[in-house]
Amino acid sequence: MRELLLDLKIPRTYLLPEADGPLPGADALTEAGVAVVSVPDCGHNIMLDNPEGFARATAAALSTTASQGGP
């Protein structure tokens, strides 16, 4: 999955559960332009465990993309 994210030429955001702690390899993703965002109060089914947190993180990623002139 990481190689796929690194190779895409579009704005990207990687969501992960906050409880997982720091993402191993997050620096490489960030350096490649991938935003790494922790979502609180959820497990690995972020959109099911915390729909509001997922929606906020997704909306923030999309608004950042729009403000940068992305698709």
Side-chain angles (χ1 to χ4, degrees):
M1 181 60 76
R2 289 177 195 234
E3 283 78 31
L4 176 65
L5 283 174
L6 293 173
D7 291 339
L8 290 172
K9 303 300 180 209
I10 59 172
R12 297 137 302 159
T13 300
Y14 185 102
L15 302 180
L16 71 147
E18 184 176 82
D20 282 3
L23 178 69
D27 291 341
L29 289 172
T30 302
E31 288 172 14
V34 179
V36 177
V37 177
S38 297
V39 179
D41 304 320
C42 65
H44 290 272
N45 289 318
I46 297 171
M47 68 180 82
L48 298 176
D49 296 340
N50 184 350
E52 290 180 19
F54 174 78
R56 278 192 300 276
T58 301
L62 292 172
S63 68
T64 300
T65 299
S67 70
Q68 295 174 349

